[in-house]
């Protein structure tokens, strides 16, 4: 009688980034904890948001070798050698608008570090910005098809190409716009080999990904509120690790010696983050259902999630389309001392009188009202500022389709040094291209996905590594 094959050991998945610009020293403790645990392990970096990808497309236009997460080399540099040595595979969407260039950058980094070249898979299929996809977008968006220049069009694709790449032996999987939870679903599917219609397990893996995708939001980041929700060690928050069992249930914990906390409260907050319907969390892989889920404390900084269910995946994929809408300009100047708010308001009124006929202007008096104000600054009309702060910073902003026109605002605020009310100083100005966003749904069968292996570096690329 042939002995039964033992089930795979539980899979550990650590998260070392929850957004573009996250801490670059996060991965080290996560990787050391994964090594200490001696279990199959994957490290993920989640670095994309809705407009991050469009900004990456703009960067790629300026430089064909740019367009991936700018911090990627710094994320990987401290841990790449350890991951390769200990068999910890890496999965990330840090490829953004240019996954092939990201793969080349990783190869160059390995060369620079004097370690072997990793086996890198590059996922494709999400980018629908090429002219060949225009009829598909036009049909899906109809009257909402932007008249302005398209900057990017990306579908939120699922986990299947990630799982296929890992099963084929990839040590690093570089993606662009995949659904955030799919960064976890792919490794879990590759590890356990579940069927792609095993909805409950897919739903559970998806919610593991949802808990990990924002990094420290599940360990106390974006949670702390002194005296109400205290979190220790905010300066050294531990990034989360999930142990996923053969049924897809998970236990969350964090690296030893790190700050932050994992409690039922932190887990519940993240579980509900961006969830529009707890019974129908739509993803490319499955519709997850947490209406019967349980969040259970199982030890210090250890919380288990179980009871997630899943339903058949949607037939369509969400596609975000970003387009150029002109230029955004903002400028600030400070006023302090007696009647500071009145002088700041006069400065704002001066700019309004000179430029208000061109485009709507937003005026904030930071120190008086800035967050609660409206974009046309109606709150400022007739506001009583006699008792307002004596430390006020005027901020004004607008957008305009024409670069030269938009530039007039920072120039006018700068001119307040000598042409404005008494005592103004500390001018700062900023201008950037502004993007609009619209979304549509396209049938999954019209968006083929897959992966390719990163090509070896050329002699020229090696010489520049």
């Amino acid at each position: 009688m042939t002995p039964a094959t033992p089930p795979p050991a539980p899979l550990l998945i650590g998260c070392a980034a929850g957004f573009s610009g996250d801490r670059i020293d996060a991965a080290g403790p996560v990787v050391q904890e994964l090594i200490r645990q001696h279990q199959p392990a994957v490290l993920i970096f989640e670095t994309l948001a809705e407009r991050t990808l469009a900004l990456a497309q703009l960067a790629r236009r300026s430089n064909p070798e740019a367009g991936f997460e700018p911090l990627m080399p710094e994320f990987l540099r401290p841990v790449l050698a350890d991951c390769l040595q200990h068999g910890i595979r890496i999965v990330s969407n840090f490829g953004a608008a240019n996954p092939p260039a990201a793969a080349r950058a990783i190869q160059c980094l390995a060369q620079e570090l004097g370690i072997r070249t990793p086996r890198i898979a590059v996922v494709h299929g999400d980018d629908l910005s090429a002219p060949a996809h225009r009829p598909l977008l036009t049909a899906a968006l109809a009257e909402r098809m932007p008249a302005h220049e398209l900057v990017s069009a990306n579908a939120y694709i699922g986990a299947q190409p990630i799982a296929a790449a890992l099963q084929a032996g990839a040590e690093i999987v570089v993606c662009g716009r995949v659904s955030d939870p799919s960064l976890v679903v792919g490794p879990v599917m590759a590890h356990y080999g579940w069927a792609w219609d095993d909805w409950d397990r897919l739903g559970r893996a998806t919610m593991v990904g949802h808990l990990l995708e924002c990094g420290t939001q599940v360990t106390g980041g974006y949670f702390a509120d002194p005296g109400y929700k205290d979190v220790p060690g905010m300066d050294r928050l531990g990034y989360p690790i999930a142990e996923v069992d053969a049924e897809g249930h998970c236990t969350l914990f964090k690296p030893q010696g790190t700050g932050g906390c994992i409690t039922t409260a932190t887990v519940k907050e993240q579980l509900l983050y961006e969830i529009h319907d707890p019974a129908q969390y739509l993803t490319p892989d499955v519709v997850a259902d947490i209406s019967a889920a349980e969040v259970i404390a199982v030890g210090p900084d250890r919380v288990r999630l179980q009871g997630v269910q899943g339903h058949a995946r949607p037939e369509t994929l969400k596609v975000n389309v970003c387009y150029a809408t002109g230029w955004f300009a903002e400028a600030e100047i400070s006023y302090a001392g007696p009647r500071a708010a009145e002088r700041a308001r006069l400065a704002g009124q001066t700019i309004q009188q000179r430029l208000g006929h061109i485009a709507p202007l937003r005026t904030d008096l930071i120190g008086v009202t800035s967050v609660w104000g409206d974009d046309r600054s109606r709150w400022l009309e007739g506001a009583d500022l006699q008792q307002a702060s004596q430390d006020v910073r005027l901020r004004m902003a607008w957008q305009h389709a024409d670069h030269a026109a938009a530039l007039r605002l920072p120039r006018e605020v700068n001119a307040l040094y000598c042409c404005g009310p008494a005592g103004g100083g500390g001018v700062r100005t900023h201008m950037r291209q502004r993007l609009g966003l619209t979304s549509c749904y396209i049938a999954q069968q019209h968006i083929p996905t897959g992966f390719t292996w990163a090509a070896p570096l050329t002699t020229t690329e090696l010489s520049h590594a």
Side-chain angles (χ1 to χ4, degrees):
M1 179 176 176
T2 304
T5 304
L11 178 66
L12 297 180
I13 301 181
C15 177
F19 69 104
S20 175
D22 210 340
R23 289 176 175 170
I24 60 172
D25 59 354
V30 175
V31 169
Q32 290 307 307
E33 185 67 32
L34 294 176
I35 294 170
R36 199 179 68 81
Q37 294 287 332
H38 292 295
Q39 291 175 227
V42 174
L43 182 69
I44 69 167
F45 296 84
E46 198 293 291
T47 63
L48 281 184
E50 279 68 19
R51 284 184 170 80
T52 311
L53 197 48
L55 296 174
Q57 289 281 12
L58 292 175
R60 184 182 184 181
R61 289 183 182 187
S62 301
N63 176 2
E65 282 301 301
F68 55 86
E69 165 57 45
L71 289 178
M72 185 191 73
E74 293 181 75
F75 283 144
L76 290 178
R77 184 182 302 277
V79 298
L80 183 57
D82 279 341
C83 286
L84 293 178
Q85 181 181 351
H86 294 276
I88 298 170
R89 297 200 270 183
I90 297 171
V91 178
S92 178
N93 54 15
F94 48 36
N98 202 349
R104 289 190 288 274
I106 296 170
Q107 291 171 313
C108 289
L109 178 61
Q111 183 82 7
E112 176 189 334
L113 294 174
I115 59 179
R116 67 175 175 84
T117 301
R119 189 169 169 80
I120 303 174
V122 179
V123 168
H124 59 79
D126 66 299
D127 191 348
L128 305 182
S129 59
H133 297 110
R134 203 57 51 86
L136 205 57
L137 297 175
T138 300
L141 287 165
E143 70 277 5
R144 293 183 296 112
M145 184 69 180
H148 303 275
E149 176 194 12
L150 292 192
V151 174
S152 67
N154 291 84
Y156 285 73
I157 64 174
Q160 294 198 26
I162 298 173
L166 292 170
Q167 288 171 330
E171 294 175 296
I172 299 177
V173 182
V174 180
C175 310
R177 182 65 282 180
V178 298
S179 169
D180 296 348
S182 298
L183 296 175
V184 166
V185 175
V188 172
M189 293 299 288
H191 183 70
Y192 287 113
W194 302 329
W196 285 99
D197 60 356
D198 190 340
W199 305 122
D200 282 343
R201 288 191 175 99
L202 276 166
R204 292 164 193 158
T206 292
M207 295 318 296
V208 178
H210 183 68
L211 289 176
L212 295 181
E213 68 180 71
C214 296
T216 58
Q217 281 192 194
V218 77
T219 64
Y222 209 65
F223 173 87
D225 189 346
Y228 179 60
K229 298 185 296 182
D230 290 313
V231 174
M234 290 289 291
D235 61 315
R236 49 187 178 83
L237 289 174
Y239 282 60
I241 300 171
E243 182 180 75
V244 186
D245 68 23
E247 293 302 314
H249 306 303
C250 75
T251 299
L252 289 176
F253 62 104
K254 64 185 183 68
Q256 288 185 356
T258 58
C261 59
I262 297 182
T263 68
T264 55
T266 66
V267 172
K268 287 176 182 176
E269 276 204 14
Q270 178 59 24
L271 196 61
L272 295 173
Y273 178 71
E274 293 183 338
I275 296 286
H276 71 289
D277 181 348
Q280 296 188 80
Y281 180 50
L282 306 180
T283 77
D285 302 306
V286 66
V287 176
D289 179 350
I290 60 171
S291 60
E294 297 177 272
V295 176
I296 306 166
V298 295
D301 289 319
R302 296 183 76 90
V303 172
R304 178 176 172 81
L305 173 66
Q306 62 185 31
V308 175
Q309 298 172 299
H311 311 295
R313 71 178 62 89
E315 294 182 354
T316 56
L317 296 178
K318 180 180 178 180
V319 178
N320 276 350
V321 177
C322 285
Y323 52 96
T325 59
W327 295 88
F328 175 78
E330 60 183 335
E332 301 178 359
I333 185 170
S334 291
Y335 294 90
R339 298 174 299 285
E342 292 284 8
R343 284 182 281 128
R345 176 160 60 180
L346 175 57
Q349 290 170 338
T350 301
I351 301 295
Q352 179 70 36
Q353 288 162 354
R354 289 180 63 80
L355 300 182
H357 63 287
I358 299 174
L361 280 157
R362 175 168 178 131
T363 303
D364 295 313
L365 300 189
I366 299 171
V368 180
T369 292
S370 54
V371 175
W372 301 115
D374 58 279
D375 279 346
R376 291 183 179 270
S377 305
R378 296 184 182 89
W379 73 273
L380 198 52
E381 299 170 5
D384 182 2
L385 301 179
Q386 291 186 2
Q387 303 302 316
S389 169
Q390 295 189 15
D391 187 343
V392 177
R393 188 157 178 83
L394 169 69
R395 172 187 178 269
M396 302 196 74
W398 72 356
Q399 70 171 25
H400 199 283
D402 181 68
H403 182 275
L407 190 58
R408 290 188 62 180
L409 174 62
R411 287 177 174 169
E412 285 288 341
V413 172
N414 195 56
L416 289 172
Y417 270 128
C418 292
C419 301
V427 170
R428 296 285 186 275
T429 64
H430 178 66
M431 256 188 73
R432 61 179 166 80
Q433 193 168 13
R434 189 150 209 186
L435 302 173
L437 172 68
T438 188
S439 301
C440 60
Y441 297 93
I442 295 178
Q444 294 214 23
Q445 69 262 27
H446 295 319
I447 304 178
T449 64
F451 75 90
T452 56
W453 296 112
L457 294 177
T458 64
T459 304
T460 302
E461 290 167 337
L462 282 169
S463 66
H464 288 87

